[in-house]
Amino acid sequence: MASRITVLESPAQVDRAVAWEMIHCMLENPSAVLGLAAGSTTDGIHQTLADIWRSAPFDISDVRFFGLDEIVMVPEDYDETCIADFQRDLIEPMGIRLENMIMPPSQSDDYQAEAARYASRIKALGQPDLAVLGIGIDGHLGMNLPGTPFDSGTRLVMLGGELEQRLRKSGKVNPGAPIGGITLGIRDLMNMPRLLLVAKGAKKAEIIARALEGPVTEAVPASVLQLHPSVRVYLDREASSRLTKK
Ligand code: GLP
């Protein structure tokens, strides 16, 4: 596996290390393209990045960002979308122009068309410089749930399993209504030249061990990263606790 694993003591140290990786990337290339994951793992990273940037601002007007996925088919007033996270933690505090943040919309009357448009907008950016990935406790990457073929591309998915339960827990989606996602596929992620995988907390320990040290299998989507030529993994002590080859 062509990855380097960095284990840090605390979640806050992971946030700082990953935020600095992202800053380094933007300083090296003022028109960098960065892929972002939403969720509890990256919230702290994005807040840390915005804090550092505000204390020592540099030009980000040409940096382009894209989200790895978005929740769709949710009501207008649903406020737990990925773009809402990015808005709160990055777009607002760093003054990122909306045209520099590529995300599919959460509401549409043609989600298939939105998925295709999102894919072509990301493709038009060229090779991303860096994408930061979180991992679900079932090993999902983006919204590529267990069982997703490794050659999957950007598409509309219907959510299920742990991810669906988590999103429904807020009670903001009508119990009978379907819940979907538009996500980059495993193939899209694997085609990116540089990836960072981040996990924090004891609840991620088992899946991190399975993803990084277990068999490469579509049953654990993140295990595909063992085949990627350049993945850097950042873990806090707890998330690393089940690894045997530390
Ligand atoms: C969500 C997102 C992923 C994220 C993952 C982990 O479903 N679609 O992009 O990385 O689940 O979420 P969290 O960081 O909240 O544990």
Side-chain angles (χ1 to χ4, degrees), residues 15 18-20 22-23 26 42-58 60 65 85-96:
D15 293 344
V18 178
W20 278 110
M22 296 168 79
I23 290 169
M26 293 185 266
T42 49
D43 282 352
I45 295 169
H46 297 158
Q47 288 156 11
T48 305
L49 168 59
D51 283 349
I52 298 170
W53 182 84
R54 273 186 302 208
S55 66
F58 53 91
I60 52 160
F65 302 87
D85 271 19
F86 299 149
Q87 185 80 40
R88 181 195 61 223
D89 297 331
L90 291 175
I91 297 175
E92 197 107 319
M94 295 175 73
I96 295 168

PDB file of all heavy atoms in Angstrom, residues 15 18-20 22-23 26 42-58 60 65 85-96:
ATOM      1  N   ASP A  15      -6.998  17.796  13.007  1.00  0.00           N
ATOM      2  CA  ASP A  15      -7.581  18.949  12.298  1.00  0.00           C
ATOM      3  C   ASP A  15      -6.482  19.892  11.816  1.00  0.00           C
ATOM      4  O   ASP A  15      -6.493  20.342  10.669  1.00  0.00           O
ATOM      5  CB  ASP A  15      -8.531  19.730  13.222  1.00  0.00           C
ATOM      6  CG  ASP A  15      -9.778  18.932  13.584  1.00  0.00           C
ATOM      7  OD1 ASP A  15     -10.068  17.931  12.900  1.00  0.00           O
ATOM      8  OD2 ASP A  15     -10.458  19.310  14.554  1.00  0.00           O
ATOM      9  N   VAL A  18      -4.270  18.313   8.911  1.00  0.00           N
ATOM     10  CA  VAL A  18      -4.938  18.233   7.604  1.00  0.00           C
ATOM     11  C   VAL A  18      -5.194  19.644   7.058  1.00  0.00           C
ATOM     12  O   VAL A  18      -5.025  19.897   5.867  1.00  0.00           O
ATOM     13  CB  VAL A  18      -6.232  17.396   7.681  1.00  0.00           C
ATOM     14  CG1 VAL A  18      -6.936  17.365   6.342  1.00  0.00           C
ATOM     15  CG2 VAL A  18      -5.916  15.977   8.148  1.00  0.00           C
ATOM     16  N   ALA A  19      -5.550  20.573   7.956  1.00  0.00           N
ATOM     17  CA  ALA A  19      -5.751  21.960   7.507  1.00  0.00           C
ATOM     18  C   ALA A  19      -4.460  22.491   6.886  1.00  0.00           C
ATOM     19  O   ALA A  19      -4.483  23.141   5.832  1.00  0.00           O
ATOM     20  CB  ALA A  19      -6.186  22.835   8.689  1.00  0.00           C
ATOM     21  N   TRP A  20      -3.329  22.184   7.512  1.00  0.00           N
ATOM     22  CA  TRP A  20      -2.047  22.655   6.946  1.00  0.00           C
ATOM     23  C   TRP A  20      -1.727  21.986   5.619  1.00  0.00           C
ATOM     24  O   TRP A  20      -1.145  22.605   4.732  1.00  0.00           O
ATOM     25  CB  TRP A  20      -0.909  22.472   7.956  1.00  0.00           C
ATOM     26  CG  TRP A  20      -0.862  23.596   8.943  1.00  0.00           C
ATOM     27  CD1 TRP A  20      -1.162  23.553  10.271  1.00  0.00           C
ATOM     28  CD2 TRP A  20      -0.517  24.973   8.668  1.00  0.00           C
ATOM     29  NE1 TRP A  20      -1.042  24.793  10.839  1.00  0.00           N
ATOM     30  CE2 TRP A  20      -0.640  25.687   9.886  1.00  0.00           C
ATOM     31  CE3 TRP A  20      -0.136  25.667   7.525  1.00  0.00           C
ATOM     32  CZ2 TRP A  20      -0.393  27.053   9.982  1.00  0.00           C
ATOM     33  CZ3 TRP A  20       0.116  27.036   7.621  1.00  0.00           C
ATOM     34  CH2 TRP A  20      -0.012  27.718   8.828  1.00  0.00           C
ATOM     35  N   MET A  22      -3.886  21.217   3.431  1.00  0.00           N
ATOM     36  CA  MET A  22      -4.731  21.925   2.452  1.00  0.00           C
ATOM     37  C   MET A  22      -4.160  23.321   2.165  1.00  0.00           C
ATOM     38  O   MET A  22      -4.122  23.773   1.016  1.00  0.00           O
ATOM     39  CB  MET A  22      -6.170  22.008   2.975  1.00  0.00           C
ATOM     40  CG  MET A  22      -6.811  20.628   3.110  1.00  0.00           C
ATOM     41  SD  MET A  22      -8.366  20.646   4.038  1.00  0.00           S
ATOM     42  CE  MET A  22      -9.502  21.255   2.788  1.00  0.00           C
ATOM     43  N   ILE A  23      -3.685  23.980   3.205  1.00  0.00           N
ATOM     44  CA  ILE A  23      -3.110  25.314   3.023  1.00  0.00           C
ATOM     45  C   ILE A  23      -1.853  25.224   2.156  1.00  0.00           C
ATOM     46  O   ILE A  23      -1.651  26.012   1.222  1.00  0.00           O
ATOM     47  CB  ILE A  23      -2.773  25.952   4.404  1.00  0.00           C
ATOM     48  CG1 ILE A  23      -4.075  26.286   5.119  1.00  0.00           C
ATOM     49  CG2 ILE A  23      -1.881  27.176   4.251  1.00  0.00           C
ATOM     50  CD1 ILE A  23      -3.919  26.668   6.569  1.00  0.00           C
ATOM     51  N   MET A  26      -2.764  25.011  -1.413  1.00  0.00           N
ATOM     52  CA  MET A  26      -3.249  26.269  -2.000  1.00  0.00           C
ATOM     53  C   MET A  26      -2.124  27.284  -2.157  1.00  0.00           C
ATOM     54  O   MET A  26      -2.145  28.102  -3.080  1.00  0.00           O
ATOM     55  CB  MET A  26      -4.365  26.864  -1.122  1.00  0.00           C
ATOM     56  CG  MET A  26      -5.622  26.009  -1.116  1.00  0.00           C
ATOM     57  SD  MET A  26      -6.976  26.793  -0.193  1.00  0.00           S
ATOM     58  CE  MET A  26      -6.761  26.070   1.416  1.00  0.00           C
ATOM     59  N   THR A  42     -14.651  16.192   9.153  1.00  0.00           N
ATOM     60  CA  THR A  42     -14.009  17.314   8.471  1.00  0.00           C
ATOM     61  C   THR A  42     -14.467  18.678   8.990  1.00  0.00           C
ATOM     62  O   THR A  42     -13.805  19.675   8.698  1.00  0.00           O
ATOM     63  CB  THR A  42     -14.242  17.216   6.954  1.00  0.00           C
ATOM     64  OG1 THR A  42     -15.635  16.980   6.735  1.00  0.00           O
ATOM     65  CG2 THR A  42     -13.423  16.107   6.337  1.00  0.00           C
ATOM     66  N   ASP A  43     -15.553  18.725   9.764  1.00  0.00           N
ATOM     67  CA  ASP A  43     -16.002  20.025  10.303  1.00  0.00           C
ATOM     68  C   ASP A  43     -14.848  20.756  10.997  1.00  0.00           C
ATOM     69  O   ASP A  43     -14.591  21.933  10.731  1.00  0.00           O
ATOM     70  CB  ASP A  43     -17.110  19.827  11.356  1.00  0.00           C
ATOM     71  CG  ASP A  43     -18.462  19.538  10.721  1.00  0.00           C
ATOM     72  OD1 ASP A  43     -18.581  19.641   9.490  1.00  0.00           O
ATOM     73  OD2 ASP A  43     -19.395  19.195  11.474  1.00  0.00           O
ATOM     74  N   GLY A  44     -14.184  20.047  11.889  1.00  0.00           N
ATOM     75  CA  GLY A  44     -13.098  20.661  12.660  1.00  0.00           C
ATOM     76  C   GLY A  44     -11.932  21.062  11.768  1.00  0.00           C
ATOM     77  O   GLY A  44     -11.269  22.076  12.012  1.00  0.00           O
ATOM     78  N   ILE A  45     -11.686  20.268  10.746  1.00  0.00           N
ATOM     79  CA  ILE A  45     -10.597  20.592   9.801  1.00  0.00           C
ATOM     80  C   ILE A  45     -10.919  21.904   9.092  1.00  0.00           C
ATOM     81  O   ILE A  45     -10.078  22.804   8.988  1.00  0.00           O
ATOM     82  CB  ILE A  45     -10.439  19.459   8.765  1.00  0.00           C
ATOM     83  CG1 ILE A  45      -9.985  18.171   9.458  1.00  0.00           C
ATOM     84  CG2 ILE A  45      -9.479  19.868   7.646  1.00  0.00           C
ATOM     85  CD1 ILE A  45     -10.048  16.925   8.577  1.00  0.00           C
ATOM     86  N   HIS A  46     -12.170  22.006   8.623  1.00  0.00           N
ATOM     87  CA  HIS A  46     -12.546  23.201   7.868  1.00  0.00           C
ATOM     88  C   HIS A  46     -12.549  24.440   8.773  1.00  0.00           C
ATOM     89  O   HIS A  46     -12.110  25.508   8.367  1.00  0.00           O
ATOM     90  CB  HIS A  46     -13.923  22.995   7.218  1.00  0.00           C
ATOM     91  CG  HIS A  46     -13.917  21.881   6.211  1.00  0.00           C
ATOM     92  ND1 HIS A  46     -15.038  21.213   5.818  1.00  0.00           N
ATOM     93  CD2 HIS A  46     -12.899  21.322   5.509  1.00  0.00           C
ATOM     94  CE1 HIS A  46     -14.722  20.292   4.921  1.00  0.00           C
ATOM     95  NE2 HIS A  46     -13.432  20.332   4.724  1.00  0.00           N
ATOM     96  N   GLN A  47     -13.016  24.269  10.011  1.00  0.00           N
ATOM     97  CA  GLN A  47     -13.019  25.419  10.934  1.00  0.00           C
ATOM     98  C   GLN A  47     -11.583  25.846  11.246  1.00  0.00           C
ATOM     99  O   GLN A  47     -11.272  27.035  11.306  1.00  0.00           O
ATOM    100  CB  GLN A  47     -13.775  25.059  12.219  1.00  0.00           C
ATOM    101  CG  GLN A  47     -15.278  24.973  11.978  1.00  0.00           C
ATOM    102  CD  GLN A  47     -16.020  24.089  12.985  1.00  0.00           C
ATOM    103  OE1 GLN A  47     -15.463  23.680  13.997  1.00  0.00           O
ATOM    104  NE2 GLN A  47     -17.262  23.777  12.691  1.00  0.00           N
ATOM    105  N   THR A  48     -10.711  24.849  11.406  1.00  0.00           N
ATOM    106  CA  THR A  48      -9.305  25.165  11.690  1.00  0.00           C
ATOM    107  C   THR A  48      -8.666  25.858  10.495  1.00  0.00           C
ATOM    108  O   THR A  48      -7.937  26.852  10.648  1.00  0.00           O
ATOM    109  CB  THR A  48      -8.537  23.862  12.030  1.00  0.00           C
ATOM    110  OG1 THR A  48      -9.213  23.225  13.109  1.00  0.00           O
ATOM    111  CG2 THR A  48      -7.096  24.126  12.398  1.00  0.00           C
ATOM    112  N   LEU A  49      -8.961  25.347   9.310  1.00  0.00           N
ATOM    113  CA  LEU A  49      -8.431  25.962   8.084  1.00  0.00           C
ATOM    114  C   LEU A  49      -8.879  27.426   7.991  1.00  0.00           C
ATOM    115  O   LEU A  49      -8.062  28.324   7.734  1.00  0.00           O
ATOM    116  CB  LEU A  49      -8.934  25.156   6.875  1.00  0.00           C
ATOM    117  CG  LEU A  49      -8.766  25.747   5.487  1.00  0.00           C
ATOM    118  CD1 LEU A  49      -7.306  26.019   5.182  1.00  0.00           C
ATOM    119  CD2 LEU A  49      -9.321  24.790   4.438  1.00  0.00           C
ATOM    120  N   ALA A  50     -10.169  27.674   8.240  1.00  0.00           N
ATOM    121  CA  ALA A  50     -10.680  29.045   8.142  1.00  0.00           C
ATOM    122  C   ALA A  50     -10.052  29.940   9.221  1.00  0.00           C
ATOM    123  O   ALA A  50      -9.721  31.098   8.952  1.00  0.00           O
ATOM    124  CB  ALA A  50     -12.202  29.048   8.264  1.00  0.00           C
ATOM    125  N   ASP A  51      -9.835  29.394  10.418  1.00  0.00           N
ATOM    126  CA  ASP A  51      -9.203  30.191  11.486  1.00  0.00           C
ATOM    127  C   ASP A  51      -7.780  30.583  11.110  1.00  0.00           C
ATOM    128  O   ASP A  51      -7.371  31.727  11.289  1.00  0.00           O
ATOM    129  CB  ASP A  51      -9.138  29.377  12.801  1.00  0.00           C
ATOM    130  CG  ASP A  51     -10.484  29.340  13.493  1.00  0.00           C
ATOM    131  OD1 ASP A  51     -11.394  30.088  13.080  1.00  0.00           O
ATOM    132  OD2 ASP A  51     -10.616  28.542  14.443  1.00  0.00           O
ATOM    133  N   ILE A  52      -7.029  29.607  10.603  1.00  0.00           N
ATOM    134  CA  ILE A  52      -5.639  29.904  10.224  1.00  0.00           C
ATOM    135  C   ILE A  52      -5.635  30.939   9.103  1.00  0.00           C
ATOM    136  O   ILE A  52      -4.887  31.911   9.131  1.00  0.00           O
ATOM    137  CB  ILE A  52      -4.891  28.616   9.783  1.00  0.00           C
ATOM    138  CG1 ILE A  52      -4.809  27.605  10.930  1.00  0.00           C
ATOM    139  CG2 ILE A  52      -3.490  28.965   9.259  1.00  0.00           C
ATOM    140  CD1 ILE A  52      -4.319  26.217  10.527  1.00  0.00           C
ATOM    141  N   TRP A  53      -6.525  30.726   8.131  1.00  0.00           N
ATOM    142  CA  TRP A  53      -6.570  31.632   6.982  1.00  0.00           C
ATOM    143  C   TRP A  53      -6.925  33.059   7.423  1.00  0.00           C
ATOM    144  O   TRP A  53      -6.345  34.031   6.950  1.00  0.00           O
ATOM    145  CB  TRP A  53      -7.577  31.119   5.940  1.00  0.00           C
ATOM    146  CG  TRP A  53      -7.614  31.979   4.727  1.00  0.00           C
ATOM    147  CD1 TRP A  53      -6.774  31.926   3.649  1.00  0.00           C
ATOM    148  CD2 TRP A  53      -8.527  33.055   4.477  1.00  0.00           C
ATOM    149  NE1 TRP A  53      -7.109  32.899   2.740  1.00  0.00           N
ATOM    150  CE2 TRP A  53      -8.184  33.611   3.230  1.00  0.00           C
ATOM    151  CE3 TRP A  53      -9.598  33.593   5.188  1.00  0.00           C
ATOM    152  CZ2 TRP A  53      -8.873  34.678   2.678  1.00  0.00           C
ATOM    153  CZ3 TRP A  53     -10.289  34.670   4.648  1.00  0.00           C
ATOM    154  CH2 TRP A  53      -9.929  35.193   3.400  1.00  0.00           C
ATOM    155  N   ARG A  54      -7.857  33.174   8.372  1.00  0.00           N
ATOM    156  CA  ARG A  54      -8.247  34.520   8.820  1.00  0.00           C
ATOM    157  C   ARG A  54      -7.112  35.209   9.571  1.00  0.00           C
ATOM    158  O   ARG A  54      -6.986  36.419   9.544  1.00  0.00           O
ATOM    159  CB  ARG A  54      -9.494  34.465   9.701  1.00  0.00           C
ATOM    160  CG  ARG A  54     -10.754  34.523   8.841  1.00  0.00           C
ATOM    161  CD  ARG A  54     -11.977  34.612   9.699  1.00  0.00           C
ATOM    162  NE  ARG A  54     -12.025  33.461  10.606  1.00  0.00           N
ATOM    163  CZ  ARG A  54     -13.137  32.937  11.083  1.00  0.00           C
ATOM    164  NH1 ARG A  54     -14.289  33.460  10.765  1.00  0.00           N
ATOM    165  NH2 ARG A  54     -13.109  31.896  11.875  1.00  0.00           N
ATOM    166  N   SER A  55      -6.270  34.397  10.246  1.00  0.00           N
ATOM    167  CA  SER A  55      -5.176  35.034  10.989  1.00  0.00           C
ATOM    168  C   SER A  55      -4.010  35.392  10.052  1.00  0.00           C
ATOM    169  O   SER A  55      -3.199  36.237  10.386  1.00  0.00           O
ATOM    170  CB  SER A  55      -4.695  34.123  12.117  1.00  0.00           C
ATOM    171  OG  SER A  55      -4.112  32.968  11.567  1.00  0.00           O
ATOM    172  N   ALA A  56      -3.948  34.763   8.903  1.00  0.00           N
ATOM    173  CA  ALA A  56      -2.879  35.068   7.934  1.00  0.00           C
ATOM    174  C   ALA A  56      -3.425  34.822   6.531  1.00  0.00           C
ATOM    175  O   ALA A  56      -3.079  33.832   5.886  1.00  0.00           O
ATOM    176  CB  ALA A  56      -1.663  34.176   8.202  1.00  0.00           C
ATOM    177  N   PRO A  57      -4.292  35.703   6.055  1.00  0.00           N
ATOM    178  CA  PRO A  57      -4.976  35.446   4.781  1.00  0.00           C
ATOM    179  C   PRO A  57      -4.029  35.434   3.584  1.00  0.00           C
ATOM    180  O   PRO A  57      -3.032  36.152   3.576  1.00  0.00           O
ATOM    181  CB  PRO A  57      -5.962  36.618   4.647  1.00  0.00           C
ATOM    182  CG  PRO A  57      -5.949  37.339   5.938  1.00  0.00           C
ATOM    183  CD  PRO A  57      -4.692  36.985   6.657  1.00  0.00           C
ATOM    184  N   PHE A  58      -4.343  34.613   2.635  1.00  0.00           N
ATOM    185  CA  PHE A  58      -3.623  34.598   1.352  1.00  0.00           C
ATOM    186  C   PHE A  58      -4.680  34.493   0.269  1.00  0.00           C
ATOM    187  O   PHE A  58      -5.858  34.220   0.563  1.00  0.00           O
ATOM    188  CB  PHE A  58      -2.600  33.448   1.297  1.00  0.00           C
ATOM    189  CG  PHE A  58      -3.183  32.100   1.614  1.00  0.00           C
ATOM    190  CD1 PHE A  58      -3.685  31.279   0.607  1.00  0.00           C
ATOM    191  CD2 PHE A  58      -3.248  31.634   2.927  1.00  0.00           C
ATOM    192  CE1 PHE A  58      -4.227  30.037   0.891  1.00  0.00           C
ATOM    193  CE2 PHE A  58      -3.794  30.388   3.230  1.00  0.00           C
ATOM    194  CZ  PHE A  58      -4.287  29.589   2.205  1.00  0.00           C
ATOM    195  N   ILE A  60      -7.103  33.284  -2.241  1.00  0.00           N
ATOM    196  CA  ILE A  60      -7.739  32.016  -2.618  1.00  0.00           C
ATOM    197  C   ILE A  60      -8.772  32.246  -3.728  1.00  0.00           C
ATOM    198  O   ILE A  60      -9.610  31.379  -3.986  1.00  0.00           O
ATOM    199  CB  ILE A  60      -8.433  31.328  -1.403  1.00  0.00           C
ATOM    200  CG1 ILE A  60      -9.370  32.304  -0.685  1.00  0.00           C
ATOM    201  CG2 ILE A  60      -7.436  30.698  -0.475  1.00  0.00           C
ATOM    202  CD1 ILE A  60     -10.410  31.617   0.166  1.00  0.00           C
ATOM    203  N   PHE A  65     -13.031  24.499  -5.448  1.00  0.00           N
ATOM    204  CA  PHE A  65     -13.391  23.429  -4.510  1.00  0.00           C
ATOM    205  C   PHE A  65     -14.553  22.632  -5.085  1.00  0.00           C
ATOM    206  O   PHE A  65     -15.411  23.194  -5.771  1.00  0.00           O
ATOM    207  CB  PHE A  65     -13.862  24.020  -3.176  1.00  0.00           C
ATOM    208  CG  PHE A  65     -12.859  24.901  -2.493  1.00  0.00           C
ATOM    209  CD1 PHE A  65     -12.784  26.264  -2.791  1.00  0.00           C
ATOM    210  CD2 PHE A  65     -11.981  24.378  -1.543  1.00  0.00           C
ATOM    211  CE1 PHE A  65     -11.860  27.090  -2.157  1.00  0.00           C
ATOM    212  CE2 PHE A  65     -11.058  25.205  -0.902  1.00  0.00           C
ATOM    213  CZ  PHE A  65     -11.002  26.559  -1.208  1.00  0.00           C
ATOM    214  N   ASP A  85     -22.792  22.596   5.480  1.00  0.00           N
ATOM    215  CA  ASP A  85     -21.536  22.476   6.250  1.00  0.00           C
ATOM    216  C   ASP A  85     -20.461  23.372   5.653  1.00  0.00           C
ATOM    217  O   ASP A  85     -19.773  24.110   6.358  1.00  0.00           O
ATOM    218  CB  ASP A  85     -21.002  21.030   6.152  1.00  0.00           C
ATOM    219  CG  ASP A  85     -21.547  20.122   7.233  1.00  0.00           C
ATOM    220  OD1 ASP A  85     -22.577  20.469   7.831  1.00  0.00           O
ATOM    221  OD2 ASP A  85     -20.943  19.044   7.451  1.00  0.00           O
ATOM    222  N   PHE A  86     -20.304  23.286   4.325  1.00  0.00           N
ATOM    223  CA  PHE A  86     -19.245  24.069   3.673  1.00  0.00           C
ATOM    224  C   PHE A  86     -19.521  25.566   3.794  1.00  0.00           C
ATOM    225  O   PHE A  86     -18.611  26.366   3.974  1.00  0.00           O
ATOM    226  CB  PHE A  86     -19.124  23.687   2.184  1.00  0.00           C
ATOM    227  CG  PHE A  86     -18.763  22.249   1.947  1.00  0.00           C
ATOM    228  CD1 PHE A  86     -19.224  21.585   0.805  1.00  0.00           C
ATOM    229  CD2 PHE A  86     -17.973  21.540   2.837  1.00  0.00           C
ATOM    230  CE1 PHE A  86     -18.896  20.258   0.573  1.00  0.00           C
ATOM    231  CE2 PHE A  86     -17.643  20.203   2.612  1.00  0.00           C
ATOM    232  CZ  PHE A  86     -18.110  19.560   1.473  1.00  0.00           C
ATOM    233  N   GLN A  87     -20.803  25.903   3.689  1.00  0.00           N
ATOM    234  CA  GLN A  87     -21.211  27.309   3.803  1.00  0.00           C
ATOM    235  C   GLN A  87     -20.788  27.870   5.162  1.00  0.00           C
ATOM    236  O   GLN A  87     -20.160  28.922   5.247  1.00  0.00           O
ATOM    237  CB  GLN A  87     -22.742  27.359   3.649  1.00  0.00           C
ATOM    238  CG  GLN A  87     -23.337  28.735   3.612  1.00  0.00           C
ATOM    239  CD  GLN A  87     -23.201  29.370   2.231  1.00  0.00           C
ATOM    240  OE1 GLN A  87     -23.365  28.685   1.233  1.00  0.00           O
ATOM    241  NE2 GLN A  87     -22.873  30.632   2.197  1.00  0.00           N
ATOM    242  N   ARG A  88     -21.136  27.115   6.201  1.00  0.00           N
ATOM    243  CA  ARG A  88     -20.873  27.576   7.576  1.00  0.00           C
ATOM    244  C   ARG A  88     -19.369  27.629   7.884  1.00  0.00           C
ATOM    245  O   ARG A  88     -18.883  28.578   8.483  1.00  0.00           O
ATOM    246  CB  ARG A  88     -21.579  26.604   8.545  1.00  0.00           C
ATOM    247  CG  ARG A  88     -21.451  26.935  10.017  1.00  0.00           C
ATOM    248  CD  ARG A  88     -21.858  25.753  10.878  1.00  0.00           C
ATOM    249  NE  ARG A  88     -21.006  24.596  10.625  1.00  0.00           N
ATOM    250  CZ  ARG A  88     -21.447  23.331  10.492  1.00  0.00           C
ATOM    251  NH1 ARG A  88     -22.723  23.054  10.599  1.00  0.00           N
ATOM    252  NH2 ARG A  88     -20.583  22.339  10.255  1.00  0.00           N
ATOM    253  N   ASP A  89     -18.636  26.564   7.472  1.00  0.00           N
ATOM    254  CA  ASP A  89     -17.244  26.434   7.928  1.00  0.00           C
ATOM    255  C   ASP A  89     -16.216  27.039   6.975  1.00  0.00           C
ATOM    256  O   ASP A  89     -15.117  27.388   7.414  1.00  0.00           O
ATOM    257  CB  ASP A  89     -16.909  24.954   8.151  1.00  0.00           C
ATOM    258  CG  ASP A  89     -17.765  24.334   9.245  1.00  0.00           C
ATOM    259  OD1 ASP A  89     -18.178  25.077  10.156  1.00  0.00           O
ATOM    260  OD2 ASP A  89     -18.022  23.119   9.183  1.00  0.00           O
ATOM    261  N   LEU A  90     -16.535  27.118   5.685  1.00  0.00           N
ATOM    262  CA  LEU A  90     -15.525  27.581   4.719  1.00  0.00           C
ATOM    263  C   LEU A  90     -15.979  28.760   3.874  1.00  0.00           C
ATOM    264  O   LEU A  90     -15.295  29.776   3.796  1.00  0.00           O
ATOM    265  CB  LEU A  90     -15.157  26.427   3.755  1.00  0.00           C
ATOM    266  CG  LEU A  90     -14.378  25.254   4.319  1.00  0.00           C
ATOM    267  CD1 LEU A  90     -14.225  24.176   3.255  1.00  0.00           C
ATOM    268  CD2 LEU A  90     -13.000  25.700   4.807  1.00  0.00           C
ATOM    269  N   ILE A  91     -17.138  28.610   3.219  1.00  0.00           N
ATOM    270  CA  ILE A  91     -17.546  29.600   2.217  1.00  0.00           C
ATOM    271  C   ILE A  91     -17.713  30.976   2.859  1.00  0.00           C
ATOM    272  O   ILE A  91     -17.132  31.970   2.416  1.00  0.00           O
ATOM    273  CB  ILE A  91     -18.850  29.153   1.510  1.00  0.00           C
ATOM    274  CG1 ILE A  91     -18.606  27.843   0.762  1.00  0.00           C
ATOM    275  CG2 ILE A  91     -19.387  30.241   0.588  1.00  0.00           C
ATOM    276  CD1 ILE A  91     -19.835  27.225   0.114  1.00  0.00           C
ATOM    277  N   GLU A  92     -18.475  30.978   3.948  1.00  0.00           N
ATOM    278  CA  GLU A  92     -18.724  32.242   4.653  1.00  0.00           C
ATOM    279  C   GLU A  92     -17.448  32.793   5.274  1.00  0.00           C
ATOM    280  O   GLU A  92     -17.037  33.916   4.923  1.00  0.00           O
ATOM    281  CB  GLU A  92     -19.781  31.986   5.741  1.00  0.00           C
ATOM    282  CG  GLU A  92     -20.399  33.235   6.252  1.00  0.00           C
ATOM    283  CD  GLU A  92     -21.823  33.363   5.719  1.00  0.00           C
ATOM    284  OE1 GLU A  92     -22.095  33.079   4.548  1.00  0.00           O
ATOM    285  OE2 GLU A  92     -22.638  33.763   6.529  1.00  0.00           O
ATOM    286  N   PRO A  93     -16.776  32.021   6.156  1.00  0.00           N
ATOM    287  CA  PRO A  93     -15.608  32.620   6.820  1.00  0.00           C
ATOM    288  C   PRO A  93     -14.471  32.985   5.872  1.00  0.00           C
ATOM    289  O   PRO A  93     -13.725  33.913   6.143  1.00  0.00           O
ATOM    290  CB  PRO A  93     -15.150  31.560   7.825  1.00  0.00           C
ATOM    291  CG  PRO A  93     -15.991  30.368   7.626  1.00  0.00           C
ATOM    292  CD  PRO A  93     -17.121  30.700   6.718  1.00  0.00           C
ATOM    293  N   MET A  94     -14.324  32.263   4.759  1.00  0.00           N
ATOM    294  CA  MET A  94     -13.192  32.551   3.864  1.00  0.00           C
ATOM    295  C   MET A  94     -13.620  33.344   2.635  1.00  0.00           C
ATOM    296  O   MET A  94     -12.791  33.638   1.769  1.00  0.00           O
ATOM    297  CB  MET A  94     -12.505  31.243   3.454  1.00  0.00           C
ATOM    298  CG  MET A  94     -11.856  30.534   4.633  1.00  0.00           C
ATOM    299  SD  MET A  94     -11.155  28.920   4.208  1.00  0.00           S
ATOM    300  CE  MET A  94      -9.698  29.364   3.278  1.00  0.00           C
ATOM    301  N   GLY A  95     -14.888  33.679   2.550  1.00  0.00           N
ATOM    302  CA  GLY A  95     -15.348  34.476   1.408  1.00  0.00           C
ATOM    303  C   GLY A  95     -15.154  33.769   0.070  1.00  0.00           C
ATOM    304  O   GLY A  95     -14.821  34.414  -0.934  1.00  0.00           O
ATOM    305  N   ILE A  96     -15.361  32.459   0.055  1.00  0.00           N
ATOM    306  CA  ILE A  96     -15.192  31.708  -1.199  1.00  0.00           C
ATOM    307  C   ILE A  96     -16.351  32.036  -2.134  1.00  0.00           C
ATOM    308  O   ILE A  96     -17.513  32.045  -1.715  1.00  0.00           O
ATOM    309  CB  ILE A  96     -15.139  30.187  -0.896  1.00  0.00           C
ATOM    310  CG1 ILE A  96     -13.884  29.879  -0.080  1.00  0.00           C
ATOM    311  CG2 ILE A  96     -15.179  29.360  -2.193  1.00  0.00           C
ATOM    312  CD1 ILE A  96     -13.866  28.487   0.523  1.00  0.00           C
TER     313      ILE A  96
END
